[in-house]
Amino acid sequence: MFHLHCTKKLLDRIKPEIVAPRQSDTSLGNWYATVLFWKPQVAVLVSERTLIPVLMPLAPAATLARRFPAQLALVLKEHGVSSEFIAQEVWRMDKVEYAKTSNRSVLGVLNEFVKQAEFWLAAYAYEKGDDDDLLAISAKLAETPCSPLYKGPVSPDRALHELVKAGAQA
């Protein structure tokens, strides 16, 4: 099971049952999400543990959490993560609980990714139905240095690789 901490904008779209925040069963931890009002609309999700970003089409909003593990698998594959790690992570994401955002540091990173995604949107000339562009934008955002990671791996892509490496050695 994983926990999806959504901004008010996204909660208003999905209208889920909200629970008290708890820790996810997944290696990547809880996820934070918001919506970009592009045409078509896009959801931006960020791992609380590694800050790895995932962009995906929002519509239909009600099925976002069910579709998310498949998009995460594509992003992890893009980063060269082992298929065993990906399969385990997706398997643990069989259920979702929604919560309000609670970690202001992660929320700040999410908001910064939203701003940067606007630049990459223009660079990739994103068009409706072109999910490869969303994958490319997710990968570019993962290279961004993030202040919560400054004492360690610095960028989300490096944090992801450290997490996967540590899990493989355990």
Side-chain angles (χ1 to χ4, degrees), residues 137-150:
I137 294 170
S138 296
K140 291 307 268 182
L141 291 176
E143 297 171 1
T144 305
C146 296
S147 61
L149 300 173
Y150 279 169

Side-chain angles (χ1 to χ4, degrees), residues 4 21 28 32 47 77 83 88-89 92 104 140 142 148:
L4 189 55
L28 293 172
Y32 280 66
S47 161
K77 185 177 179 183
S83 56
Q88 188 75 325
E89 195 70 6
R92 289 183 180 148
R104 290 176 48 179
K140 291 307 268 182

